[in-house]
């Protein structure tokens, strides 16, 4: 029996082991790279969150007319949300390293949708600052740092264009959400519009977040382009810096100044251009379309800047 087992059964066991039960070799190139799913999901999340966010101006006059609040009072809630967004984003990258983007975006999606559902029940100024200021600001802080920190983990090559695709979701969101919100407001009122927006946001963001993965090795894959050991652009070959190291570099503070200057202007326009346009006698529909045009133009700019960054380097592209 011993000789028979060795001569017949053992070769059969070896065959089964190495042909049926062996785990796939993670070094083999997969048929489909999951990083593209990460990019698509991140694009959807950014599109929903920032498309809705930049529709703030569409709600401006209907809310102001009903409650008699000044534009300073209304835009103050927006300002608080952006301050919280900026401050809390500092820690979101570290939190992403600990918890991963799926959990962070799920929680942020729930809070973001909830803030707009609560806005449909708005009755006092302190509620405006709590719902649109605090809740929206907290949830927005997870919309960029975790997602944009995840993309480089999946892409060594083509990082610029993939990042450009993700952030172009901001523009497409503006194209869709501003006219949609205005149509619902004109047809059913601003409270119903806030309810619909909140439900859409919560469902889409939470659902999309379930497909996020922090890094390729969780699925037995490697970053795109890592197999060649080279990138499209040598400027992408860098060593990550800790926050303590980064704050001692002039590049860090220069980028902070650039982004502050940029969004100080952009967010002021996005909040006030819609009510300003209606003050000039432009219809509410046309005023909402102004936001849509801004969003459409930004899609082109973000995609081109991502491609340009891959080709000539990020520094030259920014200049």
């Amino acid at each position: 029996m011993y000789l028979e087992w060795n001569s017949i059964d053992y070769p059969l066991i070896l065959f089964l082991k190495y042909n049926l039960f062996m785990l796939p070799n993670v070094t083999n190139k997969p048929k489909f790279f999951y990083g593209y799913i990460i990019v698509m999901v991140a694009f959807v999340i950014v599109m929903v969150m920032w498309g809705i966010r930049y529709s703030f101006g569409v709600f401006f006059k209907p809310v102001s007319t009903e409650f008699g609040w000044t534009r300073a009072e209304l835009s103050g809630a927006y300002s608080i949300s952006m301050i919280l967004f900026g401050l809390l984003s500092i820690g979101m990258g570290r939190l992403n390293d600990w918890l991963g983007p799926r959990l962070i975006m799920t929680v942020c999606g729930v809070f973001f949708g909830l803030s707009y559902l609560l806005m449909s029940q708005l009755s006092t100024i302190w509620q405006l600052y709590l719902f649109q200021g605090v809740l929206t600001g907290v949830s927005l802080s997870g919309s960029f740092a975790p997602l944009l920190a995840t993309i480089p983990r999946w892409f060594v090559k083509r990082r610029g264009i993939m990042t450009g695709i993700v952030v172009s979701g901001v523009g497409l969101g503006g194209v869709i959400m501003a006219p949609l919100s205005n149509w619902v407001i004109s047809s059913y009122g601003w409270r119903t519009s806030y309810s619909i927006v909140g439900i859409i946001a919560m469902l889409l963001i939470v659902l999309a977040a379930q497909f996020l993965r922090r890094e390729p090795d969780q699925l037995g894959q490697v970053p795109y382009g890592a197999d060649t050991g080279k990138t499209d652009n040598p400027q992408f070959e860098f060593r990550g810096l800790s926050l303590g190291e980064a704050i001692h570099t002039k590049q860090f503070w220069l980028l902070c100044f650039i982004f502050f200057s940029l969004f100080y202007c952009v967010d002021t326009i996005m909040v006030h251009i819609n009510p300003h346009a209606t003050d000039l006698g432009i219809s509410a529909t046309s005023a909402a379309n102004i936001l849509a045009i801004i969003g459409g133009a930004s899609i082109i700019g973000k995609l081109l800047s991502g491609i340009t960054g891959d080709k000539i380097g990020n520094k030259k592209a920014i200049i």
Side-chain angles (χ1 to χ4, degrees):
M1 288 295 294
Y2 179 79
L3 292 176
E4 183 179 359
W5 182 86
N6 274 277
S7 60
I8 298 177
D9 295 335
Y10 187 63
L12 178 61
I13 292 172
L14 290 178
F15 174 82
L16 292 174
K17 176 181 178 182
Y18 286 102
N19 290 277
L20 297 180
F21 299 113
M22 284 292 287
L23 293 174
N25 189 344
V26 298
T27 61
N28 292 335
K29 188 175 181 178
K31 292 183 179 179
F32 179 76
F33 181 53
Y34 195 80
Y36 296 119
I37 298 293
I38 300 296
V39 171
M40 181 181 70
V41 167
F43 172 86
V44 170
I45 292 174
V46 170
M47 178 187 69
V48 173
M49 295 189 81
W50 286 94
I52 292 173
R53 183 55 176 158
Y54 281 144
S55 299
F56 182 86
V58 177
F59 294 90
F60 209 105
K61 271 200 169 178
V63 174
S64 176
T65 300
E66 179 163 334
F67 294 106
W69 296 334
T70 66
R71 294 187 181 183
E73 289 174 320
L74 283 168
S75 59
Y78 188 97
S79 298
I80 289 175
S81 70
M82 294 308 294
I83 291 171
L84 288 175
F85 160 67
L87 293 176
L88 296 178
S89 292
I90 297 173
M92 278 296 174
R94 176 66 61 86
L95 199 62
N96 183 62
D97 292 334
W98 292 342
L99 302 177
R102 179 169 55 179
L103 178 59
I104 292 175
M105 290 315 309
T106 298
V107 174
C108 288
V110 171
F111 276 104
F112 189 79
L114 181 63
S115 69
Y116 282 86
L117 286 172
L118 290 172
M119 280 295 293
S120 68
Q121 307 301 314
L122 186 67
S123 61
T124 61
I125 192 71
W126 69 264
Q127 292 175 338
L128 172 71
Y129 279 76
L130 176 60
F131 303 154
Q132 277 287 287
V134 177
L135 283 181
T136 304
V138 170
S139 54
L140 279 175
S141 65
S143 64
F144 266 138
L147 296 178
L148 296 186
T150 299
I151 297 301
R153 297 175 185 268
W154 284 87
F155 290 90
V156 174
K157 298 176 68 176
R158 306 187 70 191
R159 238 177 233 167
I161 182 59
M162 292 303 159
T163 303
I165 291 172
V166 171
V167 297
S168 69
V170 176
L172 184 59
V175 171
I176 296 172
M177 292 309 304
L180 176 61
S181 297
N182 181 73
W183 177 79
V184 177
I185 290 171
S186 62
S187 301
Y188 305 102
W190 64 269
R191 293 185 184 273
T192 300
S193 186
Y194 267 132
S195 296
I196 293 174
V197 163
I199 293 171
I200 291 174
M202 189 177 296
L203 290 178
L204 289 181
I205 296 170
V206 172
L207 178 61
Q210 306 316 304
F211 294 91
L212 289 171
R213 299 294 184 274
R214 179 170 49 196
E215 47 202 355
D217 60 9
Q218 291 180 323
L219 299 178
Q221 298 187 359
V222 296
Y224 181 87
D227 53 339
T228 64
K230 297 180 180 179
T231 65
D232 287 337
N233 192 305
Q235 292 193 32
F236 284 142
E237 298 177 1
F238 58 87
R239 179 183 67 84
L241 298 178
S242 67
L243 178 61
E245 292 173 320
I247 61 176
H248 289 95
T249 65
K250 63 180 181 180
Q251 290 87 349
F252 175 84
W253 294 107
L254 182 59
L255 284 172
C256 287
F257 174 75
I258 289 172
F259 277 100
F260 173 83
S261 302
L262 170 66
F263 286 104
Y264 181 87
C265 299
V266 169
D267 285 300
T268 301
I269 293 171
M270 297 302 286
V271 170
H272 293 284
I273 196 169
N274 187 278
H276 176 64
T278 56
D279 286 345
L280 297 177
I282 298 173
S283 68
T285 300
S286 297
N289 288 336
I290 294 173
L291 293 174
I293 292 171
I294 293 174
S298 76
I299 296 174
I300 299 172
K302 290 180 174 69
L303 291 176
L304 288 178
S305 65
I307 295 172
T308 305
D310 282 339
K311 296 296 183 182
I312 67 173
N314 289 330
K315 181 178 179 179
K316 291 181 180 178
I318 289 174
I319 292 173

